[in-house]
Amino acid sequence: MILFGGMKKGLVLEGGGMRGLFTAGILDEMMENGIQPDGLIGVSAGATFGCNFKSKQPGRVLRYNLRFKDDPRYMGFRSFLKTGDYVNAEFGYHYMPKELDVFDTETFATNPMDFHIVCTDVDTGKPVYRRIDKFEYEEIEWVRASASLPVITKPVNISGLRLLDGGMTDSIPLQYFQSQGYDRNIVILTQPKGFKKTQPKIMPLLNVLLRKTPKVADAMATRHIMYNQQLDYISEQEKLGNTLLIYPEGELPIGRVEMNEAKMRRVYAIGREMAKQRMAEIKAFYSI
């Protein structure tokens, strides 16, 4: 799926927890319109929701979140108290996609679109990038790690690494994807234009809670600087014409871990509508 002249089409998805339902709505519209880039890179919810784009399962993200939103096995403080993970690792990432709302592993593996994710190395405080070619146990753990928020999730141990949420160190990995040869990228954000991140007001508390992982504490303390620099960069790339930005018109009406059905459906619908409004632009951008 390489464009003439060797140009590669990329799709970059930031995280945002349940704000990612906005992204899911856009991706479903893109799937239904037969749009697929050469590669996708997702961070946090961009990874956990974006994998359904490679498996070609429109509607699945909203469906399973609605079905299990009140199930204590899925996510919540009961899971956190029982397992140390706000999202139950075994149920949410392994049992549910295998038995209850089946993830299409065969389509994922045979789809030629590359799928990349970003995690954070707990011990170095640096981003770790991984291409996921199949969706078996270890690969699922990489995706889980990308969305594992500090404090409410234990580090995920994979291949000698301790990993957590990729959004702490590379929230919008456009520069990384460009370094991998993706010249023409659509970037989907879950915050409106003009948004600027600030340091968490609870940073003193986070420093205490993260005292055993000081590199993670450092990443959290400086994340707003990194994020705002990335916003400036993607804006510059948009002006150069090689990047198309898609973002909500206003603040999305849902919290990061909020599981209110009406709000979930609303945010997903906002994404769908945004994609419909910009579909001609999306198609033209990828066809150049």
Side-chain angles (χ1 to χ4, degrees):
M1 297 184 63
I2 306 298
L3 294 172
F4 65 85
M7 188 172 289
K8 293 171 67 176
K9 301 176 291 184
L11 183 60
V12 180
L13 311 178
E14 80 159 328
M18 298 313 293
R19 293 198 311 270
L21 287 170
F22 170 79
T23 304
I26 294 172
L27 296 182
D28 286 355
E29 283 288 331
M30 290 176 68
M31 278 189 273
E32 291 170 5
N33 278 270
I35 296 172
Q36 177 170 288
D38 302 300
L40 180 159
I41 187 165
V43 184
S44 198
T48 57
F49 293 173
C51 60
N52 296 275
F53 190 74
K54 183 171 168 66
S55 67
K56 299 184 179 181
Q57 292 178 275
R60 182 174 181 271
V61 171
L62 180 65
R63 184 177 65 240
Y64 75 73
N65 275 292
L66 289 176
R67 178 178 174 186
F68 298 109
K69 64 181 179 64
D70 297 320
D71 192 322
R73 297 174 297 171
Y74 181 40
M75 63 186 291
F77 284 106
R78 180 173 171 180
S79 171
F80 176 68
L81 293 173
K82 184 177 180 180
T83 69
D85 295 320
Y86 191 82
V87 178
N88 187 291
E90 185 58 35
F91 180 84
Y93 286 93
H94 298 288
Y95 181 71
M96 183 272 286
K98 277 189 175 181
E99 304 292 340
L100 303 178
D101 194 318
V102 178
F103 185 84
D104 190 341
T105 57
E106 182 177 356
T107 296
F108 184 94
T110 57
N111 185 338
M113 184 190 77
D114 288 337
F115 181 75
H116 303 248
I117 57 98
V118 188
C119 301
T120 294
D121 187 317
V122 168
D123 298 305
T124 66
K126 301 295 184 182
V128 178
Y129 306 93
R130 177 82 172 189
R131 193 181 78 187
I132 306 295
D133 297 321
K134 55 185 178 179
F135 217 68
E136 297 180 2
Y137 191 90
E138 181 173 315
E139 289 75 21
I140 295 170
E141 287 291 278
W142 275 96
V143 174
R144 179 169 80 88
S146 180
S148 292
L149 299 175
V151 178
I152 62 171
T153 313
K154 301 190 301 291
V156 181
N157 298 298
I158 313 172
S159 302
L161 300 173
R162 296 196 301 158
L163 303 170
L164 282 173
D165 175 43
M168 291 188 291
T169 50
D170 195 351
S171 298
I172 313 168
L174 175 61
Q175 283 179 281
Y176 172 78
F177 226 31
Q178 289 175 331
S179 76
Q180 300 303 298
Y182 292 89
D183 311 282
R184 197 159 187 82
N185 295 283
I186 293 177
V187 178
I188 302 179
L189 304 176
T190 59
Q191 295 283 13
K193 186 175 183 179
F195 172 82
K196 291 293 183 181
K197 191 177 285 294
T198 58
Q199 189 180 71
K201 294 180 180 179
I202 61 167
M203 198 63 230
L205 175 60
L206 290 176
N207 282 327
V208 174
L209 295 174
L210 297 170
R211 62 190 179 278
K212 293 183 179 179
T213 53
K215 294 295 185 180
V216 173
D218 291 344
M220 290 291 288
T222 58
R223 180 182 180 183
H224 64 294
I225 299 172
M226 172 271 298
Y227 185 86
N228 293 334
Q229 289 175 341
Q230 289 188 326
L231 289 178
D232 291 340
Y233 180 79
I234 63 176
S235 179
E236 292 171 1
Q237 296 302 297
E238 181 184 37
K239 291 175 182 176
L240 292 173
N242 59 48
T243 301
L244 179 66
L245 302 184
I246 302 177
Y247 41 75
E249 293 180 344
E251 183 178 352
L252 292 170
I254 197 167
R256 177 179 286 272
V257 295
E258 191 171 4
M259 303 295 280
N260 176 283
E261 179 171 349
K263 291 183 178 182
M264 293 163 72
R265 291 187 181 277
R266 176 61 182 150
V267 170
Y268 175 79
I270 291 171
R272 280 269 197 183
E273 183 58 31
M274 177 61 69
K276 289 177 181 176
Q277 292 175 10
R278 302 193 64 179
M279 189 54 64
E281 188 180 2
I282 291 170
K283 290 179 177 179
F285 180 81
Y286 270 163
S287 68
I288 293 174

